[in-house]
Amino acid sequence: MAEKRDIQIGMFGFGVVGQGLYDVLNSSKGIQANVVRICVKDRSKPRRLSMDHFTFDKNDILNNDSINLVVELIDNADEAFDIVKEAMQRGKHVVSANKKMVAEHFDELVALQHTHQVSFLYEGAACGSIPIIRTLEEYYDNELLNSIQGIFNGTTNYILSKIFSSGQDYHTALKQAQELGFAESNPYWDVHAFDAKFKLCIIAMHSFGLRVNEADIFNYGIPTILPHDVRLAKEKGYKPKLLATGLKIRDKLCLFVMPMLVRHDNLLFNVEDEHNAVLVEGVFSDKQFFQGRGAGSYPTGSAVLSDISATTYHYKYEYKKEGQNSQLQFTNDVLIEIYLRYGSEEVLKQFKFVDIIERHQERHTGFNYVVGVINLKDLMAIPRLRELDAFFALTPECKVNLAN
């Protein structure tokens, strides 16, 4: 076993996750790590620690040779990348929870890790307290995976849970999530499924060994869901869930994030509130199910703490899946079955269905929907899709098939 490393931490950010990490770190009995300095931006914000813990200059951490681990927990992905890049160039190990930064700069970050022989870990960037990245790296390192699917965003799962169980409308449920600290004051990245997409981009690399540009992955969120949609789901015994999906079909890999109507026999059906869940299906191991809290201070803080602990033993991701699926190619050219609720025939015409399975119209309420098969590429091509008077979700019966 490698000699255990003494950890001296320079932390960037002291928001919800940063404060959670500070608490769990000081409550942990199994790790000896010292937070030397914490870099923050807002000079006027009240802090629950004395100000001698803080600095407003990133160089007080980056130029400090006694600090050997940088923990990056800020919101701005571009600023985070600059900090992480310089830290690794200076030979400091890095732990990050910034999923957008990791997804957008994956190749360069991994190259920096190799060039400067440092650890770069980011368990806290995906699925809160669920140790999914380490599990994929270690347990599934030589297992071929067929699929990975799950609830990757605790904010939207909380909102959908309240909409379904309490009869709240979207805006009321969102406001409650914000008051509880599960949603940001600007929730755009969460509710429109960008957050889940960034996480899927990261997890797909560890699952299938294929690096996919996050901009090529389709994402569609939940802001347009209406009581009509929830009522129909309840009548049919379904629940709406925002799911991230990675599916290997022969030599193709498709990745997307969108709502799905799930049945009671789906393991994700009873995952409620701010919890995340991941369902992994291997060629030989069949299905494995992981569930844990996905939003909040302590769940993400505990994931970051796990990475800090791993650096004491010189742990690095090995990315063993790269090369195992050398013929695998990414595609959006797949057929999916969706439920579409639409406001007018003009909206419906924009959806180029290959086949209509069911059609329903209520003139007195204006509740119109179809169930049909559509090519994901055609769905992605619809202009200003998120602004349409419409809501769609995968059906429980949806079988993703290659279009060609």
Side-chain angles (χ1 to χ4, degrees):
M1 180 181 292
E3 182 181 352
K4 193 171 181 179
R5 180 188 290 137
D6 180 49
I7 297 297
Q8 301 296 317
I9 297 172
M11 186 188 302
F12 286 85
F14 200 64
V16 171
V17 176
Q19 293 179 59
L21 170 63
Y22 191 87
D23 290 342
V24 297
L25 181 61
N26 283 285
S27 299
S28 175
K29 305 296 183 183
I31 180 173
Q32 296 297 318
N34 177 46
V35 178
V36 179
R37 296 299 288 278
I38 305 169
C39 185
V40 293
K41 292 183 71 173
D42 190 346
R43 295 175 181 269
S44 62
K45 185 176 181 179
R47 309 286 176 182
R48 60 185 179 88
L49 301 179
S50 63
M51 289 309 296
D52 58 359
H53 288 82
F54 297 96
T55 179
F56 303 101
D57 184 354
K58 67 179 183 178
N59 293 310
D60 286 344
I61 291 176
L62 296 174
N63 292 338
N64 188 332
D65 292 336
S66 71
I67 292 174
N68 55 8
L69 173 65
V70 164
V71 177
E72 180 281 308
L73 302 172
I74 66 176
D75 291 334
N76 189 300
D78 294 331
E79 291 181 8
F81 176 67
D82 291 340
I83 290 166
V84 168
K85 180 179 179 179
E86 186 171 349
M88 286 199 278
Q89 288 173 335
R90 291 173 177 266
K92 299 183 190 298
H93 308 282
V94 173
V95 168
S96 175
N98 197 313
K99 74 283 294 184
K100 187 174 188 288
M101 179 201 69
V102 176
E104 291 181 339
H105 299 282
F106 190 89
D107 293 334
E108 188 171 356
L109 290 166
V110 172
L112 284 165
Q113 174 186 248
H114 292 318
T115 299
H116 299 283
Q117 291 298 297
V118 293
S119 295
F120 173 57
L121 305 179
Y122 41 84
E123 188 72 64
C127 299
S129 62
I130 303 172
I132 188 61
I133 295 176
R134 197 86 54 83
T135 301
L136 291 167
E137 278 286 305
E138 303 301 324
Y139 183 81
Y140 292 105
D141 57 342
N142 289 300
E143 165 74 294
L144 297 175
L145 299 184
N146 288 325
S147 67
I148 187 160
Q149 186 177 63
I151 298 165
F152 288 5
N153 182 269
T155 300
T156 50
N157 200 53
Y158 181 88
I159 293 170
L160 289 173
S161 294
K162 295 308 172 188
I163 288 173
F164 188 87
S165 64
S166 303
Q168 299 177 1
D169 62 26
Y170 166 79
H171 295 287
T172 301
L174 170 59
K175 186 174 184 293
Q176 189 176 95
Q178 290 171 321
E179 290 170 349
L180 292 171
F182 297 146
E184 302 287 345
S185 57
N186 181 357
Y188 183 88
W189 293 106
D190 288 322
V191 298
H192 285 287
F194 287 93
D195 175 86
K197 178 173 73 167
F198 297 140
K199 294 170 182 175
L200 178 61
C201 186
I202 296 167
I203 288 173
M205 179 63 201
H206 293 275
S207 301
F208 304 103
L210 185 64
R211 166 70 175 123
V212 179
N213 189 320
E214 54 86 19
D216 295 330
I217 300 173
F218 177 72
N219 60 292
Y220 179 80
I222 65 169
T224 57
I225 191 170
L226 293 179
H228 285 310
D229 306 309
V230 178
R231 186 194 74 194
L232 180 70
K234 286 184 176 181
E235 288 175 355
K236 292 182 175 291
Y238 306 153
K239 278 184 185 177
K241 296 290 183 182
L242 182 68
L243 301 188
T245 300
L247 181 63
K248 187 165 75 71
I249 309 173
R250 299 198 294 275
D251 61 346
K252 304 293 185 187
L253 176 68
C254 57
L255 304 169
F256 50 81
V257 184
M258 68 179 85
M260 182 175 184
L261 303 175
V262 299
R263 280 192 298 251
H264 66 88
D265 56 351
N266 188 315
L267 290 170
L268 299 169
F269 185 88
N270 289 317
V271 179
E272 301 291 358
D273 297 327
E274 74 275 19
H275 282 76
N276 281 188
V278 185
L279 186 59
V280 181
E281 183 176 356
V283 174
F284 305 109
S285 58
D286 201 14
K287 293 182 179 180
Q288 305 279 338
F289 181 68
F290 306 86
Q291 180 178 353
R293 293 188 180 277
S297 178
Y298 292 151
T300 305
S302 69
V304 175
L305 178 64
S306 175
D307 278 346
I308 293 172
S309 177
T311 65
T312 68
Y313 295 98
H314 307 263
Y315 180 80
K316 297 178 183 179
Y317 301 136
E318 297 184 56
Y319 304 102
K320 295 176 185 177
K321 285 295 176 70
E322 281 191 281
Q324 290 184 15
N325 292 311
S326 58
Q327 303 302 313
L328 195 62
Q329 295 181 323
F330 175 71
T331 186
N332 283 313
D333 193 13
V334 295
L335 299 177
I336 57 175
E337 184 178 298
I338 65 170
Y339 153 83
L340 167 69
R341 188 258 309 146
Y342 60 95
S344 70
E345 290 297 315
E346 291 305 310
V347 171
L348 177 60
K349 288 177 183 177
Q350 297 191 57
F351 290 78
K352 298 179 180 179
F353 283 98
V354 175
D355 183 28
I356 299 289
I357 299 167
E358 180 183 349
R359 184 162 186 164
H360 177 88
Q361 291 181 304
E362 293 180 8
R363 287 187 174 84
H364 61 291
T365 64
F367 178 40
N368 310 313
Y369 74 83
V370 297
V371 174
V373 176
I374 193 170
N375 192 309
L376 180 58
K377 287 176 66 175
D378 292 334
L379 197 58
M380 296 174 70
I382 297 174
R384 305 179 74 163
L385 179 62
R386 296 179 184 87
E387 299 174 25
L388 295 179
D389 180 13
F391 173 78
F392 61 85
L394 296 168
T395 68
E397 293 76 22
C398 177
K399 302 293 183 185
V400 181
N401 294 303
L402 298 176
N404 299 300

mmCIF file of all heavy atoms in Angstrom, residues 104-132:
data_model
loop_
_atom_site.group_PDB
_atom_site.id
_atom_site.type_symbol
_atom_site.label_atom_id
_atom_site.label_comp_id
_atom_site.label_asym_id
_atom_site.label_seq_id
_atom_site.Cartn_x
_atom_site.Cartn_y
_atom_site.Cartn_z
ATOM 1 N N GLU A 104 -17.386 19.950 -19.759
ATOM 2 C CA GLU A 104 -16.953 20.796 -20.869
ATOM 3 C C GLU A 104 -15.457 20.729 -21.137
ATOM 4 O O GLU A 104 -15.013 20.977 -22.258
ATOM 5 C CB GLU A 104 -17.363 22.244 -20.600
ATOM 6 C CG GLU A 104 -18.863 22.476 -20.649
ATOM 7 C CD GLU A 104 -19.254 23.923 -20.416
ATOM 8 O OE1 GLU A 104 -18.439 24.674 -19.832
ATOM 9 O OE2 GLU A 104 -20.372 24.292 -20.812
ATOM 10 N N HIS A 105 -14.668 20.388 -20.121
ATOM 11 C CA HIS A 105 -13.202 20.399 -20.282
ATOM 12 C C HIS A 105 -12.583 19.038 -19.964
ATOM 13 O O HIS A 105 -11.424 18.968 -19.564
ATOM 14 C CB HIS A 105 -12.593 21.463 -19.358
ATOM 15 C CG HIS A 105 -13.056 22.853 -19.639
ATOM 16 N ND1 HIS A 105 -12.571 23.619 -20.683
ATOM 17 C CD2 HIS A 105 -13.982 23.632 -19.016
ATOM 18 C CE1 HIS A 105 -13.158 24.802 -20.685
ATOM 19 N NE2 HIS A 105 -14.023 24.837 -19.685
ATOM 20 N N PHE A 106 -13.346 17.988 -20.167
ATOM 21 C CA PHE A 106 -12.937 16.657 -19.720
ATOM 22 C C PHE A 106 -11.559 16.268 -20.251
ATOM 23 O O PHE A 106 -10.672 15.861 -19.494
ATOM 24 C CB PHE A 106 -13.981 15.621 -20.138
ATOM 25 C CG PHE A 106 -13.787 14.272 -19.521
ATOM 26 C CD1 PHE A 106 -14.369 13.960 -18.304
ATOM 27 C CD2 PHE A 106 -13.006 13.311 -20.143
ATOM 28 C CE1 PHE A 106 -14.186 12.726 -17.727
ATOM 29 C CE2 PHE A 106 -12.820 12.070 -19.576
ATOM 30 C CZ PHE A 106 -13.411 11.768 -18.360
ATOM 31 N N ASP A 107 -11.369 16.346 -21.564
ATOM 32 C CA ASP A 107 -10.122 15.879 -22.169
ATOM 33 C C ASP A 107 -8.907 16.630 -21.631
ATOM 34 O O ASP A 107 -7.880 16.019 -21.307
ATOM 35 C CB ASP A 107 -10.179 16.010 -23.690
ATOM 36 C CG ASP A 107 -11.195 15.062 -24.319
ATOM 37 O OD1 ASP A 107 -11.481 14.021 -23.702
ATOM 38 O OD2 ASP A 107 -11.691 15.361 -25.411
ATOM 39 N N GLU A 108 -9.024 17.942 -21.540
ATOM 40 C CA GLU A 108 -7.891 18.732 -21.067
ATOM 41 C C GLU A 108 -7.592 18.459 -19.597
ATOM 42 O O GLU A 108 -6.423 18.393 -19.190
ATOM 43 C CB GLU A 108 -8.149 20.220 -21.287
ATOM 44 C CG GLU A 108 -6.934 21.080 -20.983
ATOM 45 C CD GLU A 108 -7.099 22.531 -21.394
ATOM 46 O OE1 GLU A 108 -8.149 22.856 -22.000
ATOM 47 O OE2 GLU A 108 -6.192 23.337 -21.115
ATOM 48 N N LEU A 109 -8.618 18.281 -18.807
ATOM 49 C CA LEU A 109 -8.416 18.012 -17.382
ATOM 50 C C LEU A 109 -7.738 16.667 -17.155
ATOM 51 O O LEU A 109 -6.840 16.542 -16.323
ATOM 52 C CB LEU A 109 -9.767 18.057 -16.654
ATOM 53 C CG LEU A 109 -10.398 19.450 -16.529
ATOM 54 C CD1 LEU A 109 -11.864 19.344 -16.122
ATOM 55 C CD2 LEU A 109 -9.624 20.314 -15.540
ATOM 56 N N VAL A 110 -8.164 15.666 -17.904
ATOM 57 C CA VAL A 110 -7.532 14.347 -17.778
ATOM 58 C C VAL A 110 -6.083 14.414 -18.252
ATOM 59 O O VAL A 110 -5.188 13.805 -17.647
ATOM 60 C CB VAL A 110 -8.324 13.289 -18.569
ATOM 61 C CG1 VAL A 110 -7.572 11.958 -18.596
ATOM 62 C CG2 VAL A 110 -9.702 13.091 -17.953
ATOM 63 N N ALA A 111 -5.826 15.155 -19.327
ATOM 64 C CA ALA A 111 -4.454 15.308 -19.825
ATOM 65 C C ALA A 111 -3.578 16.005 -18.786
ATOM 66 O O ALA A 111 -2.412 15.620 -18.584
ATOM 67 C CB ALA A 111 -4.461 16.089 -21.136
ATOM 68 N N LEU A 112 -4.115 17.025 -18.116
ATOM 69 C CA LEU A 112 -3.356 17.726 -17.071
ATOM 70 C C LEU A 112 -3.009 16.786 -15.923
ATOM 71 O O LEU A 112 -1.905 16.833 -15.367
ATOM 72 C CB LEU A 112 -4.175 18.907 -16.546
ATOM 73 C CG LEU A 112 -4.239 20.151 -17.431
ATOM 74 C CD1 LEU A 112 -5.354 21.077 -16.967
ATOM 75 C CD2 LEU A 112 -2.898 20.883 -17.418
ATOM 76 N N GLN A 113 -3.957 15.923 -15.567
ATOM 77 C CA GLN A 113 -3.704 14.949 -14.503
ATOM 78 C C GLN A 113 -2.533 14.055 -14.853
ATOM 79 O O GLN A 113 -1.638 13.810 -14.029
ATOM 80 C CB GLN A 113 -4.961 14.107 -14.271
ATOM 81 C CG GLN A 113 -4.749 12.966 -13.287
ATOM 82 C CD GLN A 113 -5.957 12.053 -13.178
ATOM 83 O OE1 GLN A 113 -6.614 12.013 -12.164
ATOM 84 N NE2 GLN A 113 -6.249 11.317 -14.246
ATOM 85 N N HIS A 114 -2.508 13.557 -16.094
ATOM 86 C CA HIS A 114 -1.428 12.663 -16.523
ATOM 87 C C HIS A 114 -0.097 13.405 -16.628
ATOM 88 O O HIS A 114 0.948 12.914 -16.177
ATOM 89 C CB HIS A 114 -1.774 12.034 -17.865
ATOM 90 C CG HIS A 114 -2.918 11.065 -17.799
ATOM 91 N ND1 HIS A 114 -3.067 10.149 -16.777
ATOM 92 C CD2 HIS A 114 -3.970 10.865 -18.645
ATOM 93 C CE1 HIS A 114 -4.153 9.427 -16.976
ATOM 94 N NE2 HIS A 114 -4.724 9.842 -18.099
ATOM 95 N N THR A 115 -0.122 14.599 -17.207
ATOM 96 C CA THR A 115 1.112 15.356 -17.427
ATOM 97 C C THR A 115 1.796 15.726 -16.118
ATOM 98 O O THR A 115 3.026 15.620 -15.988
ATOM 99 C CB THR A 115 0.808 16.641 -18.226
ATOM 100 O OG1 THR A 115 0.255 16.279 -19.494
ATOM 101 C CG2 THR A 115 2.076 17.462 -18.442
ATOM 102 N N HIS A 116 0.994 16.128 -15.142
ATOM 103 C CA HIS A 116 1.570 16.636 -13.887
ATOM 104 C C HIS A 116 1.519 15.622 -12.758
ATOM 105 O O HIS A 116 1.882 15.940 -11.627
ATOM 106 C CB HIS A 116 0.856 17.926 -13.491
ATOM 107 C CG HIS A 116 1.003 19.019 -14.517
ATOM 108 N ND1 HIS A 116 2.148 19.752 -14.664
ATOM 109 C CD2 HIS A 116 0.144 19.467 -15.483
ATOM 110 C CE1 HIS A 116 1.996 20.625 -15.655
ATOM 111 N NE2 HIS A 116 0.790 20.470 -16.168
ATOM 112 N N GLN A 117 1.070 14.399 -13.085
ATOM 113 C CA GLN A 117 1.080 13.293 -12.116
ATOM 114 C C GLN A 117 0.394 13.659 -10.805
ATOM 115 O O GLN A 117 0.950 13.489 -9.710
ATOM 116 C CB GLN A 117 2.525 12.835 -11.863
ATOM 117 C CG GLN A 117 3.175 12.155 -13.054
ATOM 118 C CD GLN A 117 2.443 10.869 -13.445
ATOM 119 O OE1 GLN A 117 2.383 9.915 -12.664
ATOM 120 N NE2 GLN A 117 1.886 10.847 -14.643
ATOM 121 N N VAL A 118 -0.815 14.168 -10.946
ATOM 122 C CA VAL A 118 -1.615 14.510 -9.775
ATOM 123 C C VAL A 118 -2.955 13.779 -9.868
ATOM 124 O O VAL A 118 -3.331 13.258 -10.912
ATOM 125 C CB VAL A 118 -1.862 16.035 -9.679
ATOM 126 C CG1 VAL A 118 -0.560 16.759 -9.392
ATOM 127 C CG2 VAL A 118 -2.511 16.564 -10.958
ATOM 128 N N SER A 119 -3.672 13.756 -8.761
ATOM 129 C CA SER A 119 -5.013 13.176 -8.739
ATOM 130 C C SER A 119 -6.030 14.252 -9.071
ATOM 131 O O SER A 119 -5.941 15.385 -8.580
ATOM 132 C CB SER A 119 -5.328 12.594 -7.361
ATOM 133 O OG SER A 119 -4.476 11.513 -7.060
ATOM 134 N N PHE A 120 -7.005 13.889 -9.890
ATOM 135 C CA PHE A 120 -8.126 14.778 -10.193
ATOM 136 C C PHE A 120 -9.400 13.964 -10.024
ATOM 137 O O PHE A 120 -9.721 13.110 -10.845
ATOM 138 C CB PHE A 120 -8.021 15.334 -11.610
ATOM 139 C CG PHE A 120 -9.232 16.130 -12.036
ATOM 140 C CD1 PHE A 120 -9.647 17.219 -11.285
ATOM 141 C CD2 PHE A 120 -9.951 15.790 -13.168
ATOM 142 C CE1 PHE A 120 -10.767 17.953 -11.666
ATOM 143 C CE2 PHE A 120 -11.068 16.522 -13.558
ATOM 144 C CZ PHE A 120 -11.474 17.605 -12.798
ATOM 145 N N LEU A 121 -10.126 14.212 -8.938
ATOM 146 C CA LEU A 121 -11.297 13.421 -8.580
ATOM 147 C C LEU A 121 -12.542 14.311 -8.514
ATOM 148 O O LEU A 121 -12.452 15.472 -8.128
ATOM 149 C CB LEU A 121 -11.088 12.722 -7.236
ATOM 150 C CG LEU A 121 -9.826 11.849 -7.113
ATOM 151 C CD1 LEU A 121 -9.727 11.235 -5.717
ATOM 152 C CD2 LEU A 121 -9.812 10.753 -8.167
ATOM 153 N N TYR A 122 -13.706 13.738 -8.859
ATOM 154 C CA TYR A 122 -14.919 14.561 -8.964
ATOM 155 C C TYR A 122 -16.180 13.749 -8.669
ATOM 156 O O TYR A 122 -17.206 13.931 -9.312
ATOM 157 C CB TYR A 122 -15.002 15.178 -10.367
ATOM 158 C CG TYR A 122 -14.615 14.243 -11.498
ATOM 159 C CD1 TYR A 122 -15.539 13.356 -12.047
ATOM 160 C CD2 TYR A 122 -13.325 14.239 -12.004
ATOM 161 C CE1 TYR A 122 -15.192 12.491 -13.069
ATOM 162 C CE2 TYR A 122 -12.958 13.386 -13.024
ATOM 163 C CZ TYR A 122 -13.896 12.513 -13.560
ATOM 164 O OH TYR A 122 -13.530 11.660 -14.569
ATOM 165 N N GLU A 123 -16.120 12.880 -7.677
ATOM 166 C CA GLU A 123 -17.297 12.106 -7.287
ATOM 167 C C GLU A 123 -18.469 13.017 -6.922
ATOM 168 O O GLU A 123 -19.633 12.724 -7.222
ATOM 169 C CB GLU A 123 -16.969 11.195 -6.110
ATOM 170 C CG GLU A 123 -18.059 10.208 -5.756
ATOM 171 C CD GLU A 123 -18.194 9.088 -6.777
ATOM 172 O OE1 GLU A 123 -17.244 8.299 -6.923
ATOM 173 O OE2 GLU A 123 -19.257 9.014 -7.431
ATOM 174 N N GLY A 124 -18.177 14.140 -6.291
ATOM 175 C CA GLY A 124 -19.224 15.064 -5.872
ATOM 176 C C GLY A 124 -19.920 15.767 -7.029
ATOM 177 O O GLY A 124 -20.920 16.448 -6.821
ATOM 178 N N ALA A 125 -19.411 15.610 -8.245
ATOM 179 C CA ALA A 125 -20.026 16.249 -9.411
ATOM 180 C C ALA A 125 -21.204 15.458 -9.953
ATOM 181 O O ALA A 125 -21.932 15.961 -10.814
ATOM 182 C CB ALA A 125 -18.983 16.432 -10.516
ATOM 183 N N ALA A 126 -21.393 14.236 -9.483
ATOM 184 C CA ALA A 126 -22.442 13.392 -10.072
ATOM 185 C C ALA A 126 -23.219 12.645 -8.999
ATOM 186 O O ALA A 126 -22.651 11.843 -8.260
ATOM 187 C CB ALA A 126 -21.832 12.401 -11.058
ATOM 188 N N CYS A 127 -24.515 12.939 -8.907
ATOM 189 C CA CYS A 127 -25.456 12.146 -8.108
ATOM 190 C C CYS A 127 -25.245 12.195 -6.608
ATOM 191 O O CYS A 127 -25.468 11.201 -5.898
ATOM 192 C CB CYS A 127 -25.480 10.697 -8.596
ATOM 193 S SG CYS A 127 -26.020 10.550 -10.303
ATOM 194 N N GLY A 128 -24.830 13.349 -6.099
ATOM 195 C CA GLY A 128 -24.809 13.561 -4.659
ATOM 196 C C GLY A 128 -24.044 12.518 -3.882
ATOM 197 O O GLY A 128 -22.857 12.287 -4.129
ATOM 198 N N SER A 129 -24.728 11.866 -2.958
ATOM 199 C CA SER A 129 -24.059 10.938 -2.038
ATOM 200 C C SER A 129 -23.827 9.549 -2.622
ATOM 201 O O SER A 129 -23.197 8.713 -1.983
ATOM 202 C CB SER A 129 -24.890 10.804 -0.754
ATOM 203 O OG SER A 129 -26.173 10.258 -1.047
ATOM 204 N N ILE A 130 -24.326 9.279 -3.836
ATOM 205 C CA ILE A 130 -24.147 7.955 -4.438
ATOM 206 C C ILE A 130 -22.731 7.855 -5.008
ATOM 207 O O ILE A 130 -22.356 8.660 -5.862
ATOM 208 C CB ILE A 130 -25.168 7.708 -5.565
ATOM 209 C CG1 ILE A 130 -26.591 7.857 -5.055
ATOM 210 C CG2 ILE A 130 -24.965 6.332 -6.182
ATOM 211 C CD1 ILE A 130 -27.645 7.807 -6.152
ATOM 212 N N PRO A 131 -21.935 6.882 -4.594
ATOM 213 C CA PRO A 131 -20.561 6.765 -5.103
ATOM 214 C C PRO A 131 -20.522 6.086 -6.476
ATOM 215 O O PRO A 131 -19.884 5.052 -6.672
ATOM 216 C CB PRO A 131 -19.886 5.906 -4.031
ATOM 217 C CG PRO A 131 -20.978 5.023 -3.521
ATOM 218 C CD PRO A 131 -22.231 5.867 -3.557
ATOM 219 N N ILE A 132 -21.183 6.690 -7.454
ATOM 220 C CA ILE A 132 -21.365 6.010 -8.724
ATOM 221 C C ILE A 132 -20.093 5.991 -9.570
ATOM 222 O O ILE A 132 -19.794 4.980 -10.224
ATOM 223 C CB ILE A 132 -22.546 6.633 -9.518
ATOM 224 C CG1 ILE A 132 -22.854 5.801 -10.763
ATOM 225 C CG2 ILE A 132 -22.284 8.079 -9.846
ATOM 226 C CD1 ILE A 132 -23.260 4.373 -10.478
#
